């Protein structure tokens, strides 16, 4: 409880009125004492008449999970405990936890006779488990002389998890289905790297397919029939260094990357491939070997949700050489990373080149709208001239590195956050259909 | 209320401490300011006289009336003096009376005194007691101011008063003009009468029978035509004296004719409260001046201010909502910082010619991507520029012309640096127009925090 602005204004006005009364000899001075006593009595009466915090309860209705980068609705309802007390419009204040953002000040408006409510949009900014500890409310007293402040403990936990909206909406399944339509039957026979069956050699078959060892045992020419390999290994290598904390469109780069990588993981699992996870920053942090089936996806989801935001410089050399050691068979390695300085870029090229000798590497980087904005930024000072030149240098260097990677045979994806997922899945399907793994 | 308990925070002590300090300071100031009125309430003060005169139907002004220079104010001013020499200033008095007890309790300048007697009919009451009398309230020969020390106006070579007896003396008071005896007898301890010198200079009005002049009218002492009444013994009217013998009746009998129906104002101020247009402020500043701001009824204003401040502090001590946290480090890593740092280095390098070249290169690369596209065949930088200008000329010939001219001035090492810098503005304008022509208007930049 505290005095309201109205009470402060009245008290100030009374103090000023005192001077006016003193200046006018005709007015009795006792009027001032009377006015103060009246105000004091009004405050006491207001305090006695206004219901206290114990007469109200605040309820919260919030989703248990919100996808990173999306909004959820947190509903607050202020109720009279007895169910008979009217609830006036009430101001509320909520300090959002670090990973959530929403309006800090709001008003709970009466929706019924005994209830006031508000729906707050909460935008998920960072992965993790975030707790809404309490909400403060401020009610006006009956006469408006007092502000009745109450802190309502809530203790509600909201988990911000990587977005799988594209998976739950069926967008990826549709993309897969449209890509593989009509190609399934043809993919089995003849081509491929996986042994399917032995059959008798007939004229017109490729003589290189004859299995001479088994032909000798069988007493006739037998040919090996191959099919496209189905259980390829896909490793999602996520760079979790400080550069990946840079926010783009209100969400950290690493979160955009995780969302896209989970979409790719789903596409891989749906296509019968095995998907693993590798997270690294200054050193390798997490390696989940490639697994198949939908349970693998659940594991990947929980592992990516648990990745911390780190503030350390990425060591590509250590991470990629460690990954190289852990992979026993040819795999599709999707490196989600970024670079700024040329030294890091050189080391990155060197290590990706080494990895690319034995595996298929896709390098994924997010295009920063900041650099693109400098293309069109109007310049009116020498400082801005130098900024445009610096930004162009940075972009030129970046393009040079990505071109080098392309020349090495690495699939390079550099796109805005919105276009990352479709392009990544298209590239994956293209690699798969070309039997590059 | 229950939220009061919930909101009680341990960190709210600071405003209360501030409040306590303000209250203590206010009380201390009021105590200090009230020290001067201590004289009025003491045995030698005149608070009792005001009450007694009101009881007897004589109007008494509580506040200083408005007085204007050159006009007689319709009051009888009773001016009790607590200064043995009006010609001596405060500092000199303090030096003379270094130890206690003091004879001068309230300094009054001669100029202020003369202003007072000029502006209204005045009954001047001479001092008699030293400061011990205030604290001990016991009449004693040692507490009396020696007559030799009383050279009040600095006019005469000798004291203004003379002793007219020791111990309590009861004597009738007579009017000098008519020799009529006033009813009752004056009871005075070690009575004082006006000295012979003053007696000669002033006209006696009342006498303590057989002992000397008690009240005299002094006219034109400074040659300016002003006059005043001079009472030699304050015990006739002061708080302890009024209770003795018939002093109270005598005081009324003495003052009533002087007041002549006008209200009485007992003047305890040390300045002439007269509106003066001469530009000089005759007032002597003292803490007592400040004290007037804290006396009733003006103290009501301060009480109001204290209550309003207390309410404001109370409001400030109760927080609504949780405190805001510090900004997160999510925005720490951003290319904007890299670009800002690189740009600063480019500027610090001091080579403006290279900076302009880098800028031109960046702008032409942008136009290359927009105008020629990714599918252009490889060619030299100059050829690319020519091709861009040629393509722009197809669409907007005027802009292409200005772009070509500005590019010509900027490109290459030929032109001087200042010429190249001067050409930056037309080039930038032509560049932005080209972007507009090709549908790439300058887009707003990303938010400033990035």
């Amino acid at each position: 409880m505290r005095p309201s602005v109205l009470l402060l204004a009245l008290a100030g006005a009374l103090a000023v009125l005192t001077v006016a009364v003193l200046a006018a000899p005709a007015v009795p001075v006792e009027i001032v004492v009377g006015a103060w006593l009246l105000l004091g009595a009004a405050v006491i009466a207001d305090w006695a008449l206004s219901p206290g915090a114990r007469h109200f309860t605040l309820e919260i209705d919030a989703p248990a999970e919100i996808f990173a980068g999306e909004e959820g609705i947190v509903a607050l309802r202020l109720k009279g405990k007895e169910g008979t007390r009217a609830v006036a419009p009430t101001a509320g204040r909520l300090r959002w936890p670090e990973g959530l953002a929403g309006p800090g000040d709001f008003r709970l408006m009466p929706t019924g006779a005994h209830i006031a409510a508000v729906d707050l949009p909460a935008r998920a900014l960072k992965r993790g488990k975030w707790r809404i500890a309490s909400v403060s409310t401020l009610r006006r007293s009956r006469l408006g002389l007092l502000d009745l402040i109450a802190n309502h403990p809530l203790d509600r936990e909201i988990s911000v998890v990587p977005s799988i909206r594209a998976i739950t909406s069926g967008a990826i399944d549709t993309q897969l289905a449209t890509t593989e339509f009509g190609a399934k039957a043809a993919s089995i026979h003849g081509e491929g790297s996986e042994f399917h069956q032995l059959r008798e050699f007939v004229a017109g078959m490729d003589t290189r397919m004859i299995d001479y060892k088994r032909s000798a045992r069988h007493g006739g020419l037998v040919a090996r029939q191959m099919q496209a390999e189905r259980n390829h290994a896909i490793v999602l290598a996520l760079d979790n260094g400080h550069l990946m904390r840079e926010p783009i469109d209100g969400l950290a780069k690493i979160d955009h990357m995780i969302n896209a990588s989970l979409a790719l993981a789903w596409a891989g699992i749906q296509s019968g491939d095995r998907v693993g996870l590798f997270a690294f920053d200054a050193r390798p942090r997490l390696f989940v070997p490639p697994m198949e089936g939908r349970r693998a996806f659940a594991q990947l989801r929980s592992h990516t949700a648990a990745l911390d935001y780190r503030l350390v410089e990425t060591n590509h050399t250590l991470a990629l050489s460690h990954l190289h050691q852990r992979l026993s068979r040819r795999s599709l390695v999707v490196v989600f990373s970024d670079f700024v300085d040329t030294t890091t870029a050189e080391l990155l090229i060197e290590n990706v080149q080494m990895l690319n000798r034995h595996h298929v590497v896709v390098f994924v980087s997010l295009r920063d709208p900041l650099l693109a904005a400098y293309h069109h930024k109007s310049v009116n000072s020498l400082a801005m001239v130098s900024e445009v030149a610096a930004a162009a240098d940075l972009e030129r260097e970046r393009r040079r590195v990505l071109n080098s990677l392309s020349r090495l045979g690495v699939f390079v994806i550099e796109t805005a956050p919105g276009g990352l997922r479709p392009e990544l899945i298209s590239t994956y399907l293209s690699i798969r259909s070309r039997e590059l793994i | 209320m229950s939220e009061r308990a919930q909101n009680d925070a341990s960190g709210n002590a600071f405003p209360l401490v501030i409040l306590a300090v303000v209250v203590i300071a206010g009380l201390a100031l009021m105590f200090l300011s009230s020290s001067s009125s201590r004289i009025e309430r003491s045995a030698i003060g005149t608070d009792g006289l005001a009450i007694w005169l009101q009881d007897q139907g004589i109007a008494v002004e509580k506040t200083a009336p408005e007085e204007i220079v050159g006009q007689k104010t319709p009051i009888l001013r009773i001016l009790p003096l607590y200064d043995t020499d009006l010609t001596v200033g405060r500092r000199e008095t303090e030096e003379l009376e270094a130890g206690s007890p003091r004879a001068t309790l309230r300094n009054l300048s001669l100029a202020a005194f003369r202003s007072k007697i000029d502006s209204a009919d005045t009954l001047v009451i001479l001092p008699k007691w030293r400061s011990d009398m205030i604290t001990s309230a016991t009449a004693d020969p040692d507490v009396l101011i020696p007559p030799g020390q009383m050279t009040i106006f600095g006019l005469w070579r000798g004291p203004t008063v003379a002793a007219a007896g020791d111990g309590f003396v009861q004597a009738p008071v007579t009017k000098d003009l008519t020799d009529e005896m006033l009813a009752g007898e004056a009871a005075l301890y070690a009575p004082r009468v006006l000295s012979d010198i003053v007696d000669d200079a002033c006209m006696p009005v009342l006498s303590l029978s057989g002992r000397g002049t008690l009240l005299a009218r002094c006219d034109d002492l400074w040659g300016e035509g002003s006059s005043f009444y001079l009472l030699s013994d304050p015990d006739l009217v002061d708080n302890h004296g009024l209770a003795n013998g018939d002093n109270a009746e005598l005081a009324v009998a003495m003052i009533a004719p002087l007041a002549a129906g006008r209200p009485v104002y007992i003047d305890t101020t040390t300045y002439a409260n007269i509106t003066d247009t001469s530009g000089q402020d005759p007032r002597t500043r003292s803490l007592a001046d400040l004290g007037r701001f804290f006396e009733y009824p003006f103290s009501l204003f301060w009480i109001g201010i204290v209550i309003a401040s207390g309410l404001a502090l109370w409001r400030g001590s109760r927080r609504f909502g949780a405190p805001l946290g510090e900004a997160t480090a999510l925005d720490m890593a951003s290319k904007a910082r890299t670009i800002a740092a690189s740009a600063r280095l480019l500027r610090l390098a001091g080579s403006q010619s290279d900076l302009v070249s880098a800028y031109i290169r960046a702008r032409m690369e942008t136009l290359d991507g927009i105008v020629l596209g990714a599918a252009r065949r490889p060619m030299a930088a100059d050829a690319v520029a020519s091709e861009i200008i040629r393509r722009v000329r197809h669409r907007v010939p005027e802009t292409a012309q200005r772009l070509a001219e500005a590019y010509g001035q900027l490109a290459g090492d030929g032109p001087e640096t200042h010429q190249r810098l001067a050409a930056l503005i037309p080039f930038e304008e032509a560049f932005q127009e080209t972007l507009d022509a090709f549908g790439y208007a300058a887009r707003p930049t990303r938010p400033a925090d990035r």
Side-chain angles (χ1 to χ4, degrees):
Chain A
M1 185 171 65
R2 69 181 189 189
S4 69
V5 176
L6 175 66
L7 179 55
L8 278 186
L10 284 175
L14 267 184
V16 174
L17 180 76
T18 310
V19 180
V21 168
L22 294 177
V27 184
V29 177
E30 289 71 24
I31 202 170
V32 174
V33 180
W36 277 114
L37 290 175
L38 198 66
L39 186 64
V43 170
I44 293 170
D46 200 13
W47 174 73
L49 289 174
S50 306
R54 64 178 182 277
H55 296 290
F56 297 95
T57 53
L58 189 80
E59 293 175 359
I60 185 169
D61 185 14
E65 277 189 1
I66 303 178
F67 290 152
E70 295 192 2
E71 273 187 1
I73 297 296
V74 175
L76 297 173
R77 283 187 301 278
L78 187 68
K79 282 182 178 173
K81 261 186 186 166
E82 294 87 353
T84 54
R85 198 175 290 280
V87 183
T90 304
R93 205 167 265 182
L94 166 61
R95 190 189 157 197
W96 293 93
E98 198 186 338
L100 296 170
D105 288 303
F106 49 86
R107 279 188 84 73
L108 293 128
M109 300 305 288
T111 53
H114 315 297
I115 192 163
V118 67
D119 286 346
L120 303 173
R123 185 174 164 79
L125 298 178
K126 288 175 77 176
R127 279 171 291 110
K129 291 183 176 176
W130 308 106
R131 212 162 58 89
I132 296 178
S134 69
V135 171
S136 301
T137 57
L138 186 147
R139 286 177 299 110
R140 278 285 150 85
S141 58
R142 284 279 163 85
L143 303 178
L145 297 175
L146 299 168
D147 288 347
L148 304 169
I149 299 171
N151 291 320
H152 301 274
L154 295 172
D155 204 16
R156 184 58 181 263
E157 192 173 81
I158 297 176
S159 298
V160 177
V161 295
S163 175
I164 51 166
R165 180 71 62 201
I167 299 161
T168 54
S169 67
I172 295 173
D173 291 344
T174 312
Q175 193 178 355
L176 289 176
T178 50
T179 314
E180 292 188 345
F181 181 73
K184 213 161 202 175
S187 69
I188 296 173
H189 305 297
E191 300 299 323
S193 54
E194 192 172 87
F195 176 75
H196 178 51
Q197 63 182 4
L198 290 172
R199 62 174 295 183
E200 205 166 315
F201 182 80
V202 291
M205 275 187 170
D206 190 349
T207 51
R208 287 178 297 177
M209 292 172 68
I210 296 170
D211 187 337
Y212 289 101
K213 207 171 186 179
R214 285 184 176 77
S215 296
R217 192 178 299 161
H218 188 254
L221 285 174
V222 176
R224 275 184 301 175
Q225 198 168 26
M226 311 298 280
Q227 67 172 9
E229 197 175 359
R230 283 187 66 83
N231 58 344
H232 305 297
I234 303 171
V235 177
L236 308 168
L238 282 165
D239 174 3
N240 196 17
H242 76 287
L243 285 177
M244 303 301 279
R245 287 193 61 168
E246 185 182 358
I248 292 180
D249 292 349
L251 201 61
K253 262 185 190 173
I254 181 71
D255 287 322
H256 287 296
M257 298 291 200
I258 286 175
N259 293 347
S261 66
L262 283 178
L264 177 63
W266 179 258
I269 286 167
Q270 286 294 86
S271 305
D273 290 336
R274 297 178 301 123
V275 184
L277 178 68
F278 176 58
F280 61 96
D281 42 79
R283 61 185 182 82
R285 294 279 173 194
L286 171 74
F287 182 75
V288 181
M291 295 174 293
E292 59 189 348
R294 295 198 175 180
R295 287 178 66 185
F297 181 76
Q299 280 199 27
L300 290 175
R301 202 182 157 208
S302 91
H303 280 301
T304 49
L307 282 179
D308 283 340
Y309 293 92
R310 292 190 181 273
L311 271 174
V312 290
E313 175 93 27
T314 305
N315 187 341
H316 288 106
T317 309
L318 181 61
L320 295 183
S321 54
H322 178 81
L323 179 64
H324 190 55
Q325 285 174 4
R326 298 296 294 263
L327 295 176
S328 54
R329 56 176 287 193
R330 185 174 172 82
S331 310
L332 170 65
V333 179
V334 187
V335 181
F336 298 87
S337 186
D338 199 6
F339 55 89
V340 169
D341 60 304
T342 48
T343 314
T344 312
E346 291 299 330
L347 287 170
L348 179 70
I349 292 170
E350 200 175 300
N351 288 288
V352 168
Q353 185 180 13
M354 187 187 71
L355 202 62
N356 198 42
R357 283 182 199 145
H358 304 281
H359 307 281
V360 178
V361 179
V362 177
F363 184 82
V364 182
S365 177
L366 277 178
R367 183 181 297 148
D368 196 338
L370 176 74
L371 293 178
Y374 274 103
H375 289 168
H376 311 240
K377 201 174 187 177
S378 116
V379 165
N380 52 18
S381 68
L382 204 60
M384 290 178 77
V385 165
S386 55
E387 278 186 13
V388 166
D393 277 347
L394 207 62
E395 199 178 7
R396 201 176 298 120
E397 185 65 29
R398 188 177 178 79
R399 212 180 304 129
R400 191 185 65 76
V401 172
L402 294 178
N403 286 342
S404 305
L405 286 172
S406 289
R407 280 198 294 274
L408 290 172
V410 173
F411 290 86
V412 173
I413 296 174
E414 197 210 13
T415 179
L420 181 58
R421 180 179 51 79
E423 196 166 339
L424 185 60
I425 290 174
S426 295
T427 309
Y428 159 67
L429 291 175
S430 156
I431 291 169
R432 199 163 162 272
S433 65
R434 286 163 63 189
E435 289 279 336
L436 292 174
I437 312 173
Chain B
M1 292 198 159
S2 60
E3 64 258 58
R4 182 179 185 140
Q6 287 174 14
N7 291 320
D8 270 342
S10 58
N12 285 345
F14 186 68
L16 291 176
V17 171
I18 296 290
L19 187 63
V21 168
V22 168
V23 169
I24 290 167
L27 289 175
L29 198 62
M30 286 178 77
F31 176 76
L32 286 172
S33 64
S34 67
S35 63
S36 61
S37 66
R38 227 152 42 101
I39 300 172
E40 270 68 51
R41 291 200 302 269
S42 72
I44 60 171
T46 49
D47 273 358
L49 178 65
I51 297 164
W52 172 243
L53 290 179
Q54 270 186 322
D55 278 356
Q56 295 304 308
I58 298 173
V60 177
E61 295 257 0
K62 284 180 177 173
T63 53
E66 281 188 21
E67 297 183 80
I68 298 164
V69 172
Q71 290 183 16
K72 279 280 181 190
T73 314
I75 54 164
L76 172 69
R77 188 197 307 278
I78 296 179
L79 181 60
L81 293 183
Y82 297 97
D83 190 348
T84 55
D85 194 343
L86 302 184
T87 58
V88 177
R90 170 193 287 273
R91 192 166 293 171
E92 293 166 77
T93 310
E94 284 171 0
E95 283 171 9
L96 285 169
E97 302 175 3
S100 72
R102 292 174 293 130
T104 297
L105 306 179
R106 182 187 290 155
N107 252 296
L108 181 69
S109 70
L110 190 59
F113 174 79
R114 286 175 62 176
S115 292
K116 281 176 190 286
I117 62 169
D118 278 348
S119 65
D121 288 345
T122 306
L123 169 61
V124 178
I125 303 169
L126 293 177
K128 181 176 174 182
W129 303 98
R130 295 191 317 194
S131 59
D132 324 30
M133 187 61 177
I134 297 174
T135 49
S136 67
T138 307
D140 187 272
D142 294 337
V143 184
L144 289 166
I145 301 170
Q149 202 177 332
M150 304 242 291
T151 54
I152 307 286
F153 308 111
L155 282 170
W156 304 291
R157 293 191 173 202
T160 314
V161 293
D166 300 322
F168 259 106
V169 172
Q170 283 209 326
V173 177
T174 55
K175 287 185 180 175
D176 272 279
L177 279 175
T178 57
D179 280 343
E180 182 193 341
M181 198 170 287
L182 296 182
E185 286 190 335
L188 302 168
Y189 180 85
R192 294 280 169 88
V193 292
L194 294 176
S195 65
D196 295 339
I197 319 165
V198 182
D199 236 3
D200 294 341
C202 302
M203 189 175 74
V205 177
L206 294 175
S207 299
L208 197 61
S209 69
R211 292 176 187 266
T213 305
L214 205 57
L215 179 72
R217 180 187 169 89
C218 301
D219 293 317
D220 206 13
L221 282 184
W222 288 278
E224 289 175 352
S226 56
S227 62
F228 59 94
Y229 293 94
L230 194 62
L231 179 65
S232 60
D233 198 317
D235 285 353
L236 200 62
V237 292
D238 63 18
N239 290 341
H240 83 276
L242 277 177
N244 296 333
D246 301 319
N247 290 357
E249 283 78 17
L250 286 171
V252 173
M254 175 180 69
I255 291 168
L258 299 184
R262 295 170 297 181
V264 168
Y265 169 55
I266 300 174
D267 193 346
T268 56
T269 59
T270 55
Y271 50 86
N273 189 25
I274 300 165
T275 309
D276 191 357
T277 52
S278 66
Q280 289 180 341
D281 188 358
R283 287 179 287 180
T284 308
R285 310 281 176 187
S286 73
L287 200 60
D289 300 351
L290 192 65
R292 289 188 304 133
F293 287 103
F294 296 96
E295 285 173 4
Y296 183 83
F298 208 69
S299 55
L300 285 176
F301 170 71
W302 295 112
I303 292 169
I305 291 290
V306 167
I307 293 173
S309 308
L311 287 173
L313 286 172
W314 178 14
R315 183 179 165 80
S317 68
R318 291 281 176 268
R319 177 190 292 282
F320 169 38
L324 292 175
E326 290 178 4
T328 60
L330 194 66
D331 292 347
M332 277 177 62
S334 170
K335 284 197 185 68
R337 299 201 176 190
T338 311
I339 291 168
S342 307
R344 187 172 154 73
L345 284 175
L346 278 175
R347 289 199 300 277
L348 287 177
S351 177
Q352 290 185 337
S353 180
D354 290 340
L355 180 61
V356 170
S357 299
Y359 163 74
I360 290 299
R361 190 179 167 202
R363 285 315 200 196
M364 293 312 280
E365 278 174 0
T366 303
L367 289 180
D368 184 9
I370 290 170
V371 178
L372 302 183
R376 70 159 172 80
R377 59 190 168 79
M379 56 179 87
D382 284 343
V384 169
S386 305
E387 183 64 14
I388 287 169
I389 289 164
R390 194 179 66 80
R391 293 276 187 94
V392 174
R393 190 170 287 127
H394 283 309
R395 193 169 292 195
V396 273
E398 288 179 10
T399 306
Q401 182 62 30
R402 278 188 278 122
L403 188 67
E405 284 174 11
Y407 180 76
Q409 284 179 316
L410 285 167
D413 298 328
E416 294 291 325
T417 306
H418 67 273
Q419 287 176 331
R420 298 181 74 190
L421 286 174
L424 274 178
I425 296 169
F427 179 80
E428 179 63 26
E429 285 172 358
F431 171 77
Q432 292 295 341
E433 283 174 24
T434 311
L435 286 185
D436 284 344
F438 282 81
Y440 288 87
R443 285 182 293 184
T445 53
R446 285 168 63 172
D449 59 344
R450 284 186 41 75

